[in-house]
Amino acid sequence: MKLAIVGVGKMGKSILEGLLRAEMLEASDIGILDTPERTQQVALETGVTPLRLEDLRRCERILLSVQPKDVATLAPQVAHPNTGYISIMAGVSTAVLSRRLGTRRVVRCMPNLAATIGKSSTAITGPREAEEAGDLEFARALFATVGDVYDLPERLFDAFTGMSASAPAYVAVVAEALADGGVKQGIPRAQALQLAADVLIATGELLRKKHPAVLKDEVSSPGGTTIHGLAALEARAVRAALIEAVEAATLRGHELGRDE
């Protein structure tokens, strides 16, 4: 078994579907482990192999797609010699993973919800032992099936989590607020939501080519509607609120990573 995925919730299943879609591995080379009901359901949907805990000892690599709070309980059950580990547990450092799993073949990754549509931004890091064993290269290829991959120093992982991994929630709040503003001015709710989604998608594409300040200035004509709207945002300290959201999420990442 080339890869076992422990935890096939929304993120774990998205990664599974991405690597199958990209034909990175055959379904017969992949095993999954979750609750008995979830394991059987996803195995039937995808054609991969349902596993039990004892089956993990014959897997080359294991992807840990579970909650950070589960690491202390789970690690002794999945720790096997000659196995490489890939973790997407927020806040759990490679040092903690190595100590819990008894190996330096650990790779830490942080994707975001856009993995469900193949548009994730995933940060990745690992020690020399993971590089030498090919685990880092494997993880890069794995997460490339669901979006873009960025090698990042581990000291920046919590900041990446607070910004990129959490950002879909922040942007969803912005989209909902824009739609609410449209509804307040008389636009039907369904249409307002579609317009908000469309403008955020288009703006994202524009931001790949232009600095945010340039884009803002191009839209803001002297004495026009946009500059008045921007003044209202500045009066409500929207910039400061978003900066504080990233900071708060980063600090929470630090807390989750504390080894108890």
Side-chain angles (χ1 to χ4, degrees):
M1 192 71 64
K2 293 183 178 179
L3 178 67
I5 302 178
V6 178
V8 282
K10 186 173 294 184
M11 187 62 71
K13 188 183 179 188
S14 296
I15 296 166
L16 169 61
E17 291 172 339
L19 70 93
L20 288 172
R21 187 168 54 248
E23 299 182 347
M24 177 181 166
L25 294 176
E26 299 290 338
S28 58
D29 292 326
I30 306 166
I32 58 171
L33 177 63
D34 205 298
T35 63
E37 297 80 8
R38 181 64 175 170
T39 298
Q40 290 298 325
Q41 176 191 348
V42 176
L44 286 171
E45 290 175 3
T46 60
V48 300
T49 303
L51 301 176
R52 297 167 297 177
L53 272 172
E54 55 265 33
D55 297 324
L56 295 178
R57 69 180 67 254
R58 59 186 177 88
C59 298
E60 293 180 21
R61 295 184 175 90
I62 297 174
L63 171 64
L64 300 175
S65 176
V66 296
Q67 295 297 316
K69 62 182 177 59
D70 297 328
V71 66
T73 303
L74 180 65
Q77 302 179 67
V78 302
H80 300 290
N82 305 316
T83 300
Y85 295 88
I86 302 167
S87 167
I88 63 170
M89 293 183 285
V92 182
S93 69
T94 55
V96 171
L97 289 168
S98 294
R99 184 163 61 252
R100 296 287 192 187
L101 295 166
T103 179
R104 291 278 293 168
R105 285 185 58 190
V106 295
V107 180
R108 182 181 176 187
C109 303
M110 180 48 58
N112 63 26
L113 186 62
T116 59
I117 58 170
K119 296 290 186 180
S120 177
S121 294
T122 301
I124 185 170
T125 193
R128 175 177 51 81
E129 291 83 352
E131 181 78 67
E132 292 175 348
D135 300 319
L136 264 171
E137 182 181 357
F138 180 90
R140 290 187 190 105
L142 174 63
F143 285 95
T145 69
V146 291
D148 297 324
V149 180
Y150 299 88
D151 287 278
L152 202 69
E154 189 162 20
R155 61 184 175 79
L156 296 178
F157 255 63
D158 288 338
F160 180 91
T161 302
M163 179 189 167
S164 182
S166 300
Y170 311 154
V171 177
V173 170
V174 171
E176 187 177 34
L178 286 172
D180 285 343
V183 171
K184 185 177 181 181
Q185 299 306 314
I187 299 175
R189 170 67 63 181
Q191 190 173 26
L193 287 168
Q194 185 61 56
L195 287 169
D198 288 347
V199 75
L200 288 176
I201 292 169
T203 302
E205 291 299 318
L206 287 168
L207 287 172
R208 288 183 177 273
K209 303 175 182 178
K210 300 181 180 184
H211 189 281
V214 172
L215 179 57
K216 172 183 67 68
D217 289 349
E218 287 182 352
V219 181
S220 305
S221 56
T225 58
T226 303
I227 194 64
H228 279 76
L230 287 170
L233 291 177
E234 295 292 353
R236 294 290 184 176
V238 170
R239 288 175 187 259
L242 288 170
I243 292 170
E244 288 180 13
V246 173
E247 181 179 14
T250 300
L251 292 174
R252 180 54 179 160
H254 295 336
E255 292 172 359
L256 290 173
R258 288 174 185 163
D259 185 14
E260 301 177 0

